Amino acid sequence: MSLLLPLVVALPLVVAALLAAVGTHLPRVLPDLIAIGTAAAVTAISLLLLLDSGDHPIVYWFGGWRPVPGPGGQPHVIAPGIAFVIDSFAAAEAALAGLAVLATLIFAWRYFETIRHLFHALMLAFLGGMVGFALSGDLFNIFVFFELMSVAGYALCAYRVERPDVLQGSLNFAILNSMGAFAMLMGIAMLYGSTGALNLVDIGSTLSHQHPTGLMVASLTLITVGFLVKAGAAPFHFWLSDAYAVATAAAAAIFTAVMGELAFHVYARIYTTVFAESITGSAAAAVTAALISLAVLSALVGAVMCALEADTKRQVAFLTVSNGGAVLAGIALLNPTGLSCAIMYIVAAGLLRGALMLGLGMVVTRLGTSDELRLRGRGRARRHIPLGVLIALCGLGLAAPPPFGPFLSLSLIYDAVDQAGYGWVAPVLAACVAVSAGTVLRAAARIFLGWGDRTDPLLTEQPEEPQEGEPEPEERGARRRLWMLSPAFALVVAGYGLAFGPHLAAHAIDAARGLQDHAEHARLVLQGIVPAPRPLPDYHPSPLALGYGAASFAGRY
Amino acid sequence: MTYYPFVVAAVLFVAGLYGAITSRSYVHLAVCLTVMQASTYVLLLAIGYLRGAAPPITQGQLPGTRLVDPVVQALTLTDIVVSVVVLALILSLAVQAHRRAGTVDPDKLRRIRG
Amino acid sequence: MTSGLTAVLQAVALTLVGVLGVGTVLVRDPLRQVVVNGMLGLSLVVAFAVLQAPDVAIAEVVVSAIAVPMVLLPVIYKTHGGGKG
Amino acid sequence: MNRRVRLVLLMPSLAAILGVLLWGYTGLPNFGTTISSYGQFIDRVAEPQRHVTNLVSAVMFDYRGIDTLVEEFILFASAMGVALLLRSSREVAEQRPRDVVTSDAVRTAGSALAPVMLLFGLWIIAFGYVTPGGGFQGGVAASAGALLLWLAGSYRTLRDLSPTFLVDAAEGLGAASYIGIGLLGLAAGSPFLYNTIPLGTAGTLASGGTIAALNWVAGIEVAAAFVLIYHEFLEEYIQTFTYTKADQ
């Protein structure tokens, strides 16, 4: 395992570099095959790590620089190197990233006819960035991976550089994300100045022995802003809809499936390991209240904007914002149930959103636009049936039908907010999920069944000139169409099936407990002391939560 | 001098932010972002400075000489690379905006997009 | 170097950094901004040197004297100084 | 939103941000009074452990080597991105005269300066782990030399002689070699980026083990990446220049 582990980041990066070096001289199919193989390997290693990290997180010190006792003796240690701390959540997140990139690369098989090697190199660098971002246990290292992911993301977003809207979306994306990154770096520097450490757990331990000062609040605020900008949570969601709408389907699928929610996940990890030990009592309650209000705001803004949007890709962007609200609500509770259900929801919903975006990419390719009003009834031909089924399945799945897909995790979120005394949040979230998923179904019904009117005064008006289709080679018969859809269907199957992992909820809550038990986690990371195995918690969602879940599914229109 | 470098860092951060938000040209804006990032260099190096200590180069130093923090210097180097990279990417997008839309003004580009 | 002199140098260099940083932001004409930005780079070099960070100072020299002008000037020429509209 | 309204809304928020930052900084130790335990530790052990005298390079290429690895790939991704954004649009290309930038003065100055800059860059890289300097600094300096060479020796011929793929290859292979050196550690049964090369004597060029190797690889990657980036931007400039001439 320790042989394979560093490869999860090193492999995509080294292949990216080699493809850039010699890619132009290879026969046409080879770069495609190599890139797909690499993404598959990353996914496989991540899944192995997921299995392996079931009992306790795996800790890997690069260069072999393990922590050493500090000059003050125990319990203070100095960590001179950088560690990857791979808990089940991080491994699951890495597997999600691998899977999304794999599906996208298959979807984009010979999709871009020119300068392909640049596209592949950037995709793999993007993958390496996301995986490292998910796994790293060092604050500055997280920032560096964040930048790698962002830089590759800006370039991929602007792939169709000839359109002004693409440029505007990409520029917004690049500028706002850079500002967020600087805020984050400010916070990191302040934490380093105050604790003299960069390892997450080390910072957390040192911080908990200090008197709380303004520094802690300021650095928490700066880091929170940085991550919320990246995740596109309200009120920082402005860039997201533009960027997702203008990116090619291939890039947008990865953005919506992984990139944004990954920021929530890493934020949760930083909060639990660095700040949770020092922020307790009423301060913690204040953090929860603040994050919950941002979560509700995101869910509401996302759902309303989604329902009022006619452009299907933008709908998915706002759907992402809305789903992000549910994720943030889970994280905001700062307890094991909240954290575990948030991560499970990230993975399940991310798979479905990725598939949805790929499906919409096909819609644009075949029908020439992504505007649902203009597309009304244009998908009624027989050959579009699989595509319609795909999009409908994604929409249904995102509405969390019991017992499939995101249903389990969503019910857990409802349950967790209810237990934490935020009973009113659960119905709001349920309504938002229903509205945003319902919008997808509305669009699917309008496009593929011809339901509804050609005009709708409620929906945002689109600029007159029709968009041209994606630069995609002409269709080559039914087999090719199915080939392009198959990765999206595979994502849907994975998304639906995820809820049936044996004792999934129990395992997730167990992993969250391990992370949130700071003393135990610190012993594991800094001293290599493996915690004693715990019995799996027994967990079943309460009837109330199941009710909300079912209601949110039934409530879609 | 106890807080002065930190004040300078804060001023740079806010000044860069102000410039970026009010900018009328993406080229100008990209430079403002580098000013904003310069604040992190100043902060990091100020945190790692020790009065009376030598640079973290042991060549030609007596053993036991007090040295400043080498870690923040390594972090700042990485930070500088990031800064140039972001500048280059935003500028190449600005060049394209100029070519495709004939403007590098954020407001005008937004209007053209519709 | 006495510690008093070092402190004075640091104060002067940091003040320059602050003033030129604000100046870079306020100068709206891109070509003039390049000049002020270059001076900001130079003042950062001095500040890094008096903060005992020669590695970072060298990096800032090469970046602000070579890399930044090399990407900025062609772009400014293209977008602000003539060329096709 | 109106510009003036935006400005009025902006000022209080900027003041608030400034306030939060200054409030946060009050929690920092006073300037110049102390450095982190991490830094003190590196100051104490780096030379004995890694046999280099530039401790910053020890942090960059060994203790925190993975940071620098990612940094190289940020540069790599950005060079790819700039190429993607600028190259693709020029493919609809125009025939243009090539020689416009090379006046005699530039040529002379370039041919005199180029080797100096290149050597200067290589020198900064070479002594990076002994005295101040290193792969990044030297790489940027060397890229200037390479660029001057490019400009001096008539742009056209050199472009045909050293097509972009040569620089592409240098950049890709440079970045890949960084990981390759990291993998040496794995091959020896140790962690990724573990030192596998004899350490040598501190203060000489034959020291540092993998630090020296990574330093060189990073220098090559940085130089190539910057040459790529400059090249893309210069093409833009030349194109504009040509258009202007044609318009007149």
Side-chain angles (χ1 to χ4, degrees):
Chain A
M1 186 47 45
S2 63
L3 257 178
L4 281 177
L5 192 152
L7 288 182
V8 75
V9 170
L11 190 66
L13 293 182
V14 80
V15 174
L18 290 176
L19 275 182
V22 295
T24 36
H25 311 293
L26 297 176
R28 294 183 79 83
V29 287
L30 217 53
D32 284 295
L33 279 179
I34 293 172
I36 289 172
T38 310
V42 171
T43 313
I45 299 174
S46 307
L47 289 173
L48 279 177
L49 289 173
L50 178 60
L51 288 178
D52 224 42
S53 60
D55 296 332
H56 59 82
I58 308 167
V59 183
Y60 186 87
W61 292 95
F62 284 94
W65 295 113
R66 298 176 167 281
V68 294
Q74 291 297 336
H76 188 61
V77 296
I78 288 170
I82 292 172
F84 272 11
V85 179
I86 303 162
D87 54 82
S88 319
F89 297 148
E93 206 60 75
L96 171 66
L99 208 57
V101 172
L102 177 63
T104 307
L105 284 173
I106 296 176
F107 173 81
W109 174 267
R110 311 190 70 177
Y111 183 88
F112 303 106
E113 292 295 328
T114 52
I115 45 178
R116 291 175 340 278
H117 70 294
L118 293 182
F119 173 74
H120 285 129
L122 278 169
M123 280 295 249
L124 291 177
F126 192 34
L127 174 60
M130 289 191 292
V131 171
F133 185 54
L135 303 183
S136 182
D138 181 280
L139 198 48
F140 190 77
N141 196 233
I142 286 177
F143 166 77
V144 180
F145 273 115
F146 178 96
E147 280 291 345
L148 174 58
M149 178 172 100
S150 305
V151 163
Y154 309 152
L156 285 171
C157 183
Y159 193 85
R160 301 182 56 209
V161 76
E162 67 275 7
R163 281 172 25 196
D165 60 336
V166 174
L167 289 165
Q168 202 252 349
S170 314
L171 275 163
N172 265 349
F173 177 25
I175 290 163
L176 276 166
N177 273 267
S178 299
M179 288 180 178
F182 301 156
M184 191 161 98
L185 185 56
M186 266 282 167
I188 293 171
M190 284 159 82
L191 282 177
Y192 179 76
S194 136
T195 63
L198 286 170
N199 183 286
L200 292 179
V201 183
D202 198 2
I203 300 176
S205 303
T206 316
L207 212 55
S208 66
H209 292 119
Q210 291 175 345
H211 287 293
T213 57
L215 184 136
M216 198 168 69
V217 182
S219 57
L220 174 63
T221 312
L222 287 166
I223 290 176
T224 307
V225 167
F227 277 98
L228 290 188
V229 169
K230 184 79 202 174
F236 305 109
H237 62 276
F238 302 104
W239 65 270
L240 190 143
S241 57
D242 285 346
Y244 288 19
V246 300
T248 51
I254 302 178
F255 292 171
T256 182
V258 200
M259 188 177 70
E261 318 295 66
L262 186 55
F264 279 130
H265 170 224
V266 177
Y267 174 69
R269 215 148 72 93
I270 290 179
Y271 186 88
T272 8
T273 43
V274 173
F275 295 103
E277 199 61 358
S278 318
I279 298 177
T280 49
S282 63
V287 170
T288 301
L291 290 181
I292 285 263
S293 42
L294 286 181
V296 171
L297 188 65
S298 295
L300 282 174
V301 167
V304 170
M305 300 288 280
C306 181
L308 295 180
E309 187 58 63
D311 182 281
T312 45
K313 279 169 91 179
R314 256 171 219 279
Q315 286 172 0
V316 182
F318 287 118
L319 176 79
T320 315
V321 174
S322 186
N323 288 356
V327 172
L328 189 57
I331 290 171
L333 302 176
L334 316 176
N335 63 27
T337 328
L339 179 61
S340 53
C341 55
I343 310 283
M344 281 169 16
Y345 185 59
I346 289 176
V347 176
L351 288 167
L352 291 172
R353 283 196 309 269
L356 179 56
M357 197 52 115
L358 291 181
L360 292 176
M362 277 308 279
V363 170
V364 176
T365 307
R366 290 191 194 170
L367 306 175
T369 171
S370 55
D371 183 292
E372 95 169 68
L373 294 176
R374 215 172 281 130
L375 281 171
R376 179 179 161 273
R378 276 171 46 186
R380 264 186 294 201
R382 261 192 66 161
R383 65 194 186 97
H384 295 314
I385 290 175
L387 184 55
V389 170
L390 170 76
I391 291 179
L393 276 179
C394 292
L396 277 176
L398 286 167
F404 295 104
F407 174 74
L408 173 69
S409 43
L410 261 183
S411 320
L412 278 168
I413 293 181
Y414 301 148
D415 221 10
V417 289
D418 196 47
Q419 278 166 14
Y422 286 95
W424 58 275
V425 172
V428 175
L429 290 180
C432 291
V433 167
V435 168
S436 52
T439 308
V440 173
L441 291 174
R442 178 192 76 192
R446 207 186 298 253
I447 296 171
F448 295 99
L449 299 174
W451 292 4
D453 286 330
R454 188 125 176 76
T455 52
D456 193 328
L458 275 178
L459 299 188
T460 335
E461 221 161 297
Q462 290 295 302
E464 274 81 52
E465 20 106 40
Q467 288 174 296
E468 73 270 44
E470 307 245 334
E472 208 266 331
E474 75 288 354
E475 299 268 339
R476 292 183 205 114
R479 272 186 55 199
R480 176 174 171 81
R481 286 202 298 273
L482 271 179
W483 163 249
M484 288 194 75
L485 279 183
S486 58
F489 272 111
L491 288 184
V492 170
V493 170
Y496 268 76
L498 194 74
F500 300 109
H503 301 293
L504 186 71
H507 277 293
I509 293 174
D510 186 49
R513 277 195 192 146
L515 260 185
Q516 285 176 336
D517 183 341
H518 187 84
E520 182 191 292
H521 191 59
R523 274 198 299 277
L524 173 71
V525 173
L526 297 178
Q527 293 166 26
I529 300 171
V530 172
R534 284 176 302 257
L536 269 190
D538 191 32
Y539 187 83
H540 297 289
S542 71
L544 178 72
L546 291 177
Y548 275 135
S552 83
F553 176 68
R556 81 203 193 280
Y557 49 100
Chain B
M1 278 300 279
T2 3
Y3 287 110
Y4 189 58
F6 306 139
V7 175
V8 171
V11 167
L12 282 182
F13 188 86
V14 175
L17 186 59
Y18 165 80
I21 293 174
T22 58
S23 185
R24 284 158 181 265
S25 150
Y26 280 117
V27 181
H28 176 268
L29 199 158
V31 177
C32 289
L33 286 182
T34 64
V35 172
M36 202 172 160
Q37 197 155 13
S39 71
T40 56
Y41 316 156
V42 173
L43 178 63
L44 278 169
L45 291 181
I47 284 170
Y49 179 71
L50 182 62
R51 203 167 291 138
I57 316 286
T58 52
Q59 178 88 325
Q61 306 269 13
L62 296 171
T65 315
R66 290 195 310 159
L67 306 173
V68 300
D69 189 342
V71 179
V72 288
Q73 303 195 1
L75 304 188
T76 313
L77 282 174
T78 305
D79 198 9
I80 290 179
V81 179
V82 170
S83 150
V84 185
V85 156
V86 170
L87 179 74
L89 270 177
I90 293 182
L91 286 180
S92 54
L93 284 168
V95 167
Q96 287 293 353
H98 178 72
R99 174 182 294 157
R100 308 291 176 182
T103 180
V104 286
D105 185 327
D107 287 348
K108 281 192 194 143
L109 188 62
R110 195 172 303 132
R111 247 173 277 136
I112 287 172
R113 195 185 68 85
Chain C
M1 203 173 356
T2 63
S3 66
L5 185 58
T6 316
V8 171
L9 278 178
Q10 283 166 350
V12 171
L14 286 167
T15 310
L16 267 179
V17 167
V19 170
L20 289 169
V22 174
T24 309
V25 166
L26 294 180
V27 173
R28 298 277 164 182
D29 175 51
L31 212 53
R32 275 189 212 137
Q33 196 194 22
V34 173
V35 178
V36 184
N37 190 41
M39 282 156 64
L40 170 65
L42 210 65
S43 66
L44 280 170
V45 171
V46 177
F48 296 163
V50 292
L51 287 171
Q52 309 293 356
D55 279 276
V56 188
I58 296 176
E60 183 63 35
V61 168
V62 293
V63 163
S64 62
I66 302 170
V68 170
M70 277 306 303
V71 295
L72 254 181
L73 289 175
V75 174
I76 290 176
Y77 185 81
K78 191 174 175 73
T79 57
H80 288 83
K84 85 173 172 143
Chain D
M1 211 181 338
N2 183 309
R3 257 205 138 77
R4 191 170 294 275
V5 179
R6 229 192 300 172
L7 216 60
V8 171
L9 285 176
L10 182 63
M11 282 308 167
S13 11
L14 287 180
I17 294 171
L18 188 67
V20 169
L21 287 175
L22 290 176
W23 181 47
Y25 295 154
T26 56
L28 288 172
N30 288 354
F31 173 69
T33 52
T34 174
I35 63 168
S36 70
S37 48
Y38 192 171
Q40 287 171 14
F41 175 80
I42 299 285
D43 281 342
R44 202 169 59 242
V45 304
E47 191 186 333
Q49 277 184 346
R50 296 301 282 108
H51 295 207
V52 291
T53 49
N54 182 348
L55 307 186
V56 180
S57 71
V59 176
M60 282 196 76
F61 294 113
D62 196 32
Y63 296 100
R64 301 186 63 80
I66 190 91
D67 268 356
T68 311
L69 186 158
V70 183
E71 177 204 305
E72 298 310 319
F73 274 88
I74 293 176
L75 201 50
F76 165 84
S78 143
M80 294 290 111
V82 170
L84 186 75
L85 295 180
L86 297 180
R87 218 183 267 177
S88 59
S89 65
R90 274 195 310 266
E91 273 176 9
V92 218
E94 336 68 40
Q95 306 79 28
R96 53 181 180 265
R98 278 295 184 165
D99 237 355
V100 283
V101 263
T102 39
S103 71
D104 281 345
V106 172
R107 206 179 300 230
T108 324
S111 50
L113 267 174
V116 178
M117 282 304 282
L118 204 60
L119 278 178
F120 178 61
L122 295 180
W123 178 73
I124 294 183
I125 300 178
F127 286 91
Y129 42 94
V130 181
T131 51
F136 173 68
Q137 296 93 326
V140 181
S143 72
L147 193 84
L148 281 174
L149 215 61
W150 204 320
L151 291 180
S154 139
Y155 189 71
R156 171 181 36 204
T157 45
L158 211 82
R159 187 176 184 273
D160 295 340
L161 272 180
S162 72
T164 359
F165 73 71
L166 204 71
V167 191
D168 270 347
E171 195 219 15
L173 293 178
S177 313
Y178 198 113
I179 293 186
I181 293 168
L183 291 173
L184 284 181
L186 282 190
S190 309
F192 188 74
L193 281 173
Y194 187 81
N195 181 52
T196 44
I197 304 176
L199 285 171
T201 319
T204 65
L205 281 189
S207 66
T210 44
I211 293 180
L214 292 174
N215 183 42
W216 270 108
V217 168
I220 292 168
E221 204 270 337
V222 169
F226 273 99
V227 169
L228 259 183
I229 292 175
Y230 302 154
H231 171 238
E232 297 300 334
F233 280 98
L234 266 186
E235 286 277 305
E236 289 298 316
Y237 168 79
I238 290 165
Q239 209 180 353
T240 324
F241 195 90
T242 316
Y243 275 124
T244 330
K245 280 214 149 172
D247 289 349
Q248 281 161 359

